[in-house]
Amino acid sequence: MRRTHLNKELGLTRTIIASRPGRLIAVALVAALAVAGILWAANAADRGTESETLPPVQLSLGESPGLASCLAFDIAILADMEVAFEGTSTAVSGEIVTLSVDRWFRGGDADTVQLTAPLGLEALIGGIDFRPGTQYLITAADGVVNYCGYSGESTAELRTAFETAFTG
């Protein structure tokens, strides 16, 4: 179908060709844009819930000279710990160690734990030398990580102790 419009003031003639297929294409384009908008909004809602993950658990590696003394390791004492988890160190930057939690035994459900430690603390008796990519078993009480065998690099022996104490 051909329509001719005349703009008398400017002396211009404009011809518009309108066809049924052209209208169908326009309607299809509008529908596709609407569907794309709905999908984008749904994905944005999903992205919003991802960003609402639990904040990292914050623990201290301690600052007290009293940490330099150790009690003998005992499964019964391990079993009484408030916080216990297995995690892999993902970053060690200055005084902050970030662990991705592989398994919670007790006291948490966050995906990450951040430990704050004064530099040089690993030199204490039973201190832990955190290295990225290494897996650790960690316990804490009152927000402070326990040393002296109650926390450390994940070994078969320490993992067995954790299994016995927390699931056993």
Side-chain angles (χ1 to χ4, degrees):
M1 172 190 299
R2 192 177 275 235
R3 294 185 188 166
T4 304
H5 294 280
L6 176 65
N7 187 330
K8 294 181 181 181
E9 294 173 3
L10 299 176
L12 299 174
T13 303
R14 181 172 70 174
T15 301
I16 300 173
I17 299 174
S19 67
R20 184 161 280 182
R23 288 183 189 160
L24 290 176
I25 291 172
V27 168
L29 181 61
V30 168
L33 288 173
V35 169
I38 290 169
L39 291 174
W40 180 85
N43 285 336
D46 288 344
R47 287 188 304 270
T49 53
E50 287 174 12
S51 65
E52 294 175 18
T53 57
L54 296 171
V57 171
Q58 303 286 328
L59 298 174
S60 169
L61 287 169
E63 298 181 21
S64 167
L67 291 173
S69 60
C70 290
L71 296 174
F73 183 82
D74 184 339
I75 294 284
I77 293 173
L78 179 65
D80 285 338
M81 297 297 174
E82 298 170 11
V83 173
F85 68 94
E86 184 170 32
T88 302
S89 176
T90 57
V92 178
S93 178
E95 296 183 346
I96 304 293
V97 176
T98 303
L99 298 163
S100 174
V101 177
D102 301 319
R103 178 180 180 188
W104 280 102
F105 289 93
R106 180 178 292 149
D109 56 3
D111 294 332
T112 58
V113 173
Q114 287 185 333
L115 308 176
T116 304
L119 295 175
L121 192 65
E122 66 278 357
L124 289 175
I125 296 171
I128 303 167
D129 183 18
F130 288 96
R131 296 176 312 281
T134 303
Q135 194 170 42
Y136 298 91
L137 288 157
I138 304 293
T139 63
D142 297 323
V144 179
V145 171
N146 299 299
Y147 292 101
C148 302
Y150 294 98
S151 296
E153 191 169 332
S154 183
T155 63
E157 182 179 88
L158 188 56
R159 187 174 290 115
T160 299
F162 270 61
E163 291 289 338
T164 302
F166 298 108
T167 61

